[in-house]
Amino acid sequence: MEDPAPRSGSSSFVWLVGASQLVGLASVVLTGVWMGHYRGGFAWDGSAQEFNLHPLCMVLGLVFLQGDAILVYRIFRNEPKRNVKMLHGIIHLLALILSIIGFVAVFDFHRTAKIPNMYSLHSWCGMATLILFCVQWVMGLMFFLFPVASSWLRAAYLPVHVFCGLVLLVMAIGSCLLGITEKLLFSIMPTYSAFVSEGVLANTLGILLICFGVLLGFLITREEYRRPPNPEEEALSVHFKTLTEGGSPSSP
């Protein structure tokens, strides 16, 4: 039997997905405009232009691509689970690569400019997000994409993995908001309160990032937008029920 995507409210689902992509892409574009137009462009030479790669890579990688990697389970609801898992892992890998480039850029700039590292709340939250993101990706690889764990262990970890994915997206957006504020205060503090165009653009970027997170959170948590169960998911559910309620797994 065919299962329309989603089972109810297909029109609203399409509009919400479209809105999330427009908002996410707008966030990336605004970051590029901010760093390219107002902050002098991009380079890889230890200068302030190398630093400009940091916010662009973080917004593109840890926010937009990470959000889309989660969203593939809602968009491709009727595709083979293995294919969706592979796409989920590949997009997360791209996000991880971009995030590492962004971190290398800011550390290289700080080293060249002799600026201390890891002293601000933004840097602490950002580093925690990246480390946990790496752990989440490796765990997903070992538990689901190329599973080395037993079925009951995978069943126990599945809800943790899903929850941590959403938490990491929130952490990434929160770190970006801290970074936007920090960059504005360092760069245009004397004129920030005068509503200069750079400040307004950066504030708008922050609002767009929040909207992206809200849209993704809504799409991810709505029951009617979830992927319909398949035999693999049913097996995991049976094992998870066995763990929580006792007894032995039985075939559905």
Side-chain angles (χ1 to χ4, degrees):
M1 180 182 295
E2 291 185 359
D3 185 23
R7 282 164 288 184
S8 62
S10 59
S11 177
S12 63
F13 176 79
V14 172
W15 279 104
L16 287 168
V17 169
S20 72
Q21 297 311 288
L22 285 175
V23 171
L25 286 172
S27 301
V28 175
V29 170
L30 277 189
T31 307
V33 170
W34 182 18
M35 295 297 111
H37 177 69
Y38 289 97
R39 294 291 105 204
F42 306 94
W44 194 269
D45 55 6
S47 66
Q49 284 68 47
E50 182 175 348
F51 170 86
N52 292 344
L53 289 167
H54 172 70
L56 181 61
C57 288
M58 305 323 289
V59 170
L60 177 57
L62 272 187
V63 177
F64 182 62
L65 287 181
Q66 183 185 185
D68 275 8
I70 299 172
L71 199 57
V72 297
Y73 281 106
R74 300 294 178 266
I75 296 175
F76 302 108
R77 303 173 71 251
N78 298 308
E79 295 298 318
K81 186 68 174 289
R82 178 72 179 180
N83 295 345
V84 180
K85 280 183 182 180
M86 189 67 68
L87 181 61
H88 178 76
I90 290 172
I91 297 176
H92 266 133
L93 178 59
L94 291 175
L96 179 59
I97 292 171
L98 284 169
S99 302
I100 291 172
I101 292 172
F103 265 76
V104 171
V106 71
F107 276 101
D108 194 38
F109 165 68
H110 282 183
R111 179 182 56 81
T112 303
K114 295 180 171 53
I115 298 174
N117 291 308
M118 300 303 300
Y119 65 88
S120 67
L121 178 60
H122 166 64
S123 62
W124 287 20
C125 292
M127 182 61 75
T129 303
L130 180 64
I131 291 172
L132 292 174
F133 183 82
C134 292
V135 173
Q136 172 86 339
W137 189 81
V138 172
M139 294 291 282
L141 199 69
M142 293 190 304
F143 274 73
F144 304 114
L145 194 56
F146 303 107
V148 296
S150 62
S151 295
W152 69 266
L153 193 56
R154 290 164 58 203
Y157 178 65
L158 178 59
V160 176
H161 184 76
V162 173
F163 173 75
C164 288
L166 191 55
V167 168
L168 281 170
L169 182 62
V170 172
M171 289 178 65
I173 292 173
S175 297
C176 286
L177 295 178
L178 289 171
I180 289 169
T181 302
E182 187 176 285
K183 180 62 177 174
L184 287 172
L185 293 179
F186 284 163
S187 301
I188 61 168
M189 185 166 61
T191 58
Y192 187 20
S193 60
F195 290 92
V196 293
S197 59
E198 181 178 355
V200 172
L201 182 144
N203 288 350
T204 303
L205 170 60
I207 297 299
L208 287 176
L209 290 173
I210 293 172
C211 291
F212 181 73
V214 170
L215 286 168
L216 263 292
F218 183 81
L219 286 165
I220 292 164
T221 56
R222 292 288 289 183
E223 185 66 32
E224 62 265 35
Y225 299 153
R226 291 184 183 274
R227 179 183 175 87
N230 62 20
E232 179 187 1
E233 291 170 321
E234 291 290 348
L236 283 175
S237 298
V238 169
H239 282 285
F240 185 68
K241 185 175 181 181
T242 301
L243 282 174
T244 55
E245 298 181 3
S248 58
S250 58
S251 300

